[in-house]
Amino acid sequence: MAKLIAKYEPAVLVSVEKRSKSRDLNWDWRKGLIGEPGCLFIYESEMKEPGKQFAYMCCYDYDYLVTTCGETELYEDRLILTTRNSRYVFDIGKELKLWQEKEKPEMGLSD
C-alpha cells in the first residue's frame, strides 16, 4: 500500500527524458502527455520501495500517467521526479493538503 503525501492542482508535465539505455520501444508514449494539464498526486511507497515516491497524474482530458518509484525534488513551482529509467519535470500549482480539516462555515442562524 502507498501513502498519499501531496496533491498539486493544476499541474503540467513539462518534460520527460529517458535515462535508461535499454531499448524500450514503448517508452515514448510519455512524451504525448507533455503540456497536458491535470492533477498530480505524489505517493510514498510503504512496501515495495519504502521511502521512495511515485507520481500519479490525472489529466483533464482523461489521460493519466503513473511512474515507478524514485526521488523527488521540490521547488517553488516545479517538481522533479527521477526514477531509474526516466526523469519527469512538472510545473505545479497550489498544494492541496488533504489531511487538513476543512473549516466549517457559520450558518448565520440566531436563536
Side-chain angles (χ1 to χ4, degrees), residues 7-64:
K7 177 182 176 185
Y8 300 95
E9 189 172 17
V12 176
L13 179 62
V14 175
S15 68
V16 60
E17 64 184 61
K18 185 175 179 183
R19 299 181 65 230
S20 149
K21 296 189 192 263
S22 68
R23 296 184 61 173
D24 183 357
L25 300 176
N26 294 324
W27 186 90
D28 280 346
W29 67 266
R30 295 160 178 81
K31 292 181 179 180
L33 297 176
I34 292 174
E36 293 292 327
C39 187
L40 179 65
F41 299 89
I42 302 297
Y43 289 90
E44 185 172 292
S45 174
E46 293 182 315
M47 303 281 287
K48 189 174 181 181
E49 294 187 51
K52 300 279 186 176
Q53 299 87 36
F54 65 94
Y56 173 74
M57 182 174 177
C58 296
C59 298
Y60 297 146
D61 69 355
Y62 304 107
D63 277 333
Y64 67 93

Side-chain angles (χ1 to χ4, degrees), residues 63-110:
D63 277 333
Y64 67 93
L65 168 73
V66 181
T67 71
T68 58
C69 290
E71 301 287 333
T72 57
E73 299 171 60
L74 183 61
Y75 301 96
E76 187 172 316
D77 60 352
R78 188 155 280 194
L79 185 137
I80 299 171
L81 173 62
T82 305
T83 69
R84 180 177 23 244
N85 296 318
S86 305
R87 182 174 185 263
Y88 302 87
V89 178
F90 299 93
D91 275 345
I92 53 174
K94 180 180 179 184
E95 180 179 6
L96 305 172
K97 298 188 180 187
L98 302 175
W99 54 88
Q100 293 178 336
E101 285 188 6
K102 295 183 179 183
E103 292 182 28
K104 296 178 181 164
E106 291 185 30
M107 297 302 291
L109 301 175
S110 59

